């Protein structure tokens, strides 16, 4: 009798549905997604995920990897959700964006403090300049339209770009304001060495973007309702 019961129990366990663990992935992003030395995740995206997981009753894990790898993981269905991307028509071909955005950034131009360059907002004025951008970042339609006409150097972080500015390897860096201010606040670069040019190049909204995995459709609909618009 015990043997029969054991076989029955094992059969039941084998056929019981396994709870889905949703894999959220992104790059280190000040205020949005960061991880401290003890391994704990912080940021507005983490708060949204945690609150949604309690209300919708799902399990999740978060991974921080280089940004280009994070994008590829979601596009190739190796992860379920990309944290914080700006929306572009190209990205919408391979990912499903949430209806609401949850943060907004200004895209700015940064140069050395002593530079006499006058920025009017027209990208054609920087065609002769050496320009640095972070690999994989979306910087707005205006930049996408003119990027082929610019002398662009790609790097993995804003910290690298501002250091390249300091060494004379770049004339300008195009970055989002959040990351540049984080570099300043962390003292990885000296505030007095650089200046932000105005006006901003663009303003970009950040979303969650899902893999186009068929099984995620229901979850996407539920998760959408848990994203509050950012406060003014």
């Amino acid at each position: 009798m015990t043997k029969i019961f054991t076989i029955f129990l094992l059969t039941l366990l084998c056929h019981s549905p396994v709870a889905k663990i949703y894999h959220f992935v992104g790059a280190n992003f000040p205020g949005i997604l960061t991880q401290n030395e003890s391994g704990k995740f912080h940021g507005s995206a983490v708060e949204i995920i945690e609150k949604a997981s309690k209300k919708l009753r799902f399990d999740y894990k978060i991974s921080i990897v280089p940004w280009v790898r994070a994008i590829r993981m979601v596009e190739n269905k190796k992860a379920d959700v990309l944290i914080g991307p700006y929306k572009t028509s190209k990205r919408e071909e391979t990912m499903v964006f949430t209806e609401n955005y949850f943060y907004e950034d200004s895209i700015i131009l940064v140069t050395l403090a002593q530079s006499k360059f006058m920025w009017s907002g027209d990208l054609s004025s920087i065609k002769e300049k050496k320009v640095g951008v972070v690999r994989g970042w979306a910087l707005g339609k205006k930049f996408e339209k003119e990027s082929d006409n610019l002398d662009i150097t790609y790097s993995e972080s804003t910290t690298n770009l501002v250091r390249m500015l300091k060494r004379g390897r770049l004339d300008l860096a195009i970055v989002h304001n959040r990351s540049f201010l984080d570099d300043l606040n962390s003292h990885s670069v000296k505030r007095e060495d650089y200046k932000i040019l105005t006006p901003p190049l663009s303003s970009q909204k950040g979303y969650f973007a899902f893999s186009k995995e068929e099984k995620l459709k229901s979850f996407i609909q539920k998760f959408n309702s848990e994203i509050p618009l950012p406060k003014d």
Side-chain angles (χ1 to χ4, degrees):
M1 191 71 179
T2 302
K3 185 176 181 181
I4 294 174
F5 177 75
T6 301
I7 293 173
F8 171 77
L9 182 61
L10 289 173
T11 302
L12 183 64
L13 289 172
C14 288
H15 291 280
S16 296
V18 177
K20 169 69 175 177
I21 299 176
Y22 295 99
H23 188 186
F24 291 76
V25 63
N28 184 71
F29 199 1
I32 306 299
L33 175 63
T34 58
Q35 187 176 24
N36 62 22
E37 292 179 358
S38 65
K40 183 175 177 58
F41 294 99
H42 297 275
S44 59
V46 181
E47 293 170 5
I48 291 171
I49 296 167
E50 177 63 21
K51 185 176 180 180
S53 72
K54 291 177 179 177
K55 185 173 179 180
L56 302 178
R57 297 183 179 181
F58 65 85
D59 294 324
Y60 68 90
K61 69 175 181 177
I62 297 174
S63 299
I64 293 181
V65 299
W67 183 238
V68 174
R69 187 193 305 174
I71 294 172
R72 297 290 177 263
M73 287 175 69
V74 175
E75 288 179 336
N76 296 329
K77 302 179 182 179
K78 302 297 183 183
D80 299 304
V81 194
L82 182 63
I83 298 172
Y86 304 147
K87 186 187 294 186
T88 68
S89 55
K90 184 176 181 180
R91 287 176 177 173
E92 286 187 288
E93 293 175 1
T94 55
M95 293 180 279
V96 180
F97 282 73
T98 49
E99 294 172 0
N100 286 349
Y101 66 95
F102 68 98
Y103 73 93
E104 189 167 5
D105 280 332
S106 291
I107 304 301
I108 58 173
L109 275 71
V110 176
T111 189
L112 291 176
Q114 68 267 26
S115 172
K116 296 186 183 337
F117 174 68
M118 302 297 292
W119 163 247
S120 64
D122 184 0
L123 281 174
S124 65
S125 68
I126 67 172
K127 286 183 179 179
E128 305 303 320
K129 302 293 184 180
K130 292 177 289 185
V131 180
V133 302
V134 176
R135 192 182 310 279
W137 280 10
L139 301 175
K141 292 181 179 179
K142 188 187 295 187
F143 178 81
E144 290 178 11
K145 184 178 179 180
E146 293 291 337
S147 61
D148 289 343
N149 299 320
L150 301 178
D151 180 6
I152 299 175
T153 297
Y154 294 94
S155 187
E156 303 305 319
S157 69
T158 56
T159 304
N160 287 343
L161 291 179
V162 292
R163 287 174 178 167
M164 291 169 74
L165 275 173
K166 183 67 174 176
R167 295 168 186 158
R169 295 175 59 191
L170 297 174
D171 298 310
L172 300 163
I174 302 179
V175 298
H176 55 66
N177 192 55
R178 180 190 306 273
S179 185
F180 179 65
L181 292 180
D182 183 68
D183 286 336
L184 294 179
N185 293 333
S186 66
H187 306 294
S188 59
V189 297
K190 295 180 179 179
R191 182 180 296 270
E192 62 268 23
D193 290 339
Y194 305 93
K195 65 180 177 182
I196 296 174
L197 301 176
T198 56
L201 176 62
S202 65
S203 180
Q204 298 295 313
K205 297 177 174 66
Y207 299 76
F208 289 91
F210 291 75
S211 157
K212 286 196 170 182
E213 174 66 56
E214 188 71 21
K215 295 178 181 179
L216 290 176
K217 284 187 175 181
S218 176
F219 180 61
I220 295 171
Q221 292 176 349
K222 294 175 183 177
F223 192 84
N224 262 322
S225 63
E226 301 306 313
I227 304 176
L229 285 170
K231 297 178 182 179
D232 294 332

